[in-house]
């Protein structure tokens, strides 16, 4: 799985209410509508800046806070290619994989806003196309790559009729 897009950078401790504000997630379950408000509290114009495949890049503890699946789903429906961070809150990480949103752990200090990135999940590397630097990533287990390739855990189950690991 190779992903390519532009970096949109945020800091540490981006919680699920920053990802999708409670004022929206309690009004609708329409993920396409929620996607329009992703990261709005940190960058009010975020949705208008992104193009399909772009990356959210952050520091430590991305996705802390609530365990609701709306946060990774809203990011996925905004057509973000992956979230790249130094670390993730455990429940957010698992919800992201289960919903088919790639989450990648690595040192994000050498990635700047606007950098063009190419992510190769199989090889475990991010190539910063802007700087020419290669950044190693924490490899995802094959089972997680399989779930991501299938579009999430539910889609994986629909495809195989069971958990085919």
């Amino acid at each position: 799985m190779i992903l390519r897009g532009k970096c949109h950078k945020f800091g540490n401790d981006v919680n699920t209410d920053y990802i999708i504000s409670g004022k929206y997630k309690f009004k609708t379950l329409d993920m396409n509508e929620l996607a329009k408000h992703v990261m709005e509290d940190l960058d009010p114009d975020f949705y208008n800046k992104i193009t399909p495949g772009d990356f959210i890049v952050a520091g430590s503890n991305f996705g802390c806070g609530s365990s609701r699946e709306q946060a990774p789903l809203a990011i996925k429906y905004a057509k973000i290619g992956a979230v790249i961070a130094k670390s993730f809150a455990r429940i957010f990480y698992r919800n992201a994989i289960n919903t088919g949103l790639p989450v990648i752990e690595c040192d994000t200090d050498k990635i700047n806003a606007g950098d063009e990135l190419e992510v190769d999940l199989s090889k475990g590397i991010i190539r910063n196309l802007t700087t020419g630097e290669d950044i190693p990533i924490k490899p995802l287990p094959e089972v997680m790559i399989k779930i991501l390739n299938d579009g999430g855990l539910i889609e994986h189950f629909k495809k195989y009729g069971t958990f085919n690991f």
Side-chain angles (χ1 to χ4, degrees), residues 17-31 33-41 44 70 74:
D17 284 326
Y18 286 145
I19 296 168
I20 184 66
S21 175
K23 66 184 172 187
Y24 299 113
K25 66 184 171 191
F26 297 116
K27 289 183 181 178
T28 182
L29 295 177
D30 180 350
M31 285 300 136
E33 184 59 33
L34 289 176
K36 296 175 186 175
H37 301 287
V38 165
M39 309 305 279
E40 185 177 273
D41 286 349
Q70 287 107 325

Side-chain angles (χ1 to χ4, degrees), residues 6-10 57 111-116:
K6 183 174 68 174
C7 163
H8 300 271
K9 193 152 185 189
F10 297 92
V57 177
I111 302 173
N112 297 305
D115 284 357
E116 291 287 332

Side-chain angles (χ1 to χ4, degrees), residues 105-118:
E105 289 183 319
C106 70
D107 182 356
T108 57
D109 288 340
K110 294 182 180 179
I111 302 173
N112 297 305
D115 284 357
E116 291 287 332
L117 307 174
E118 184 177 83

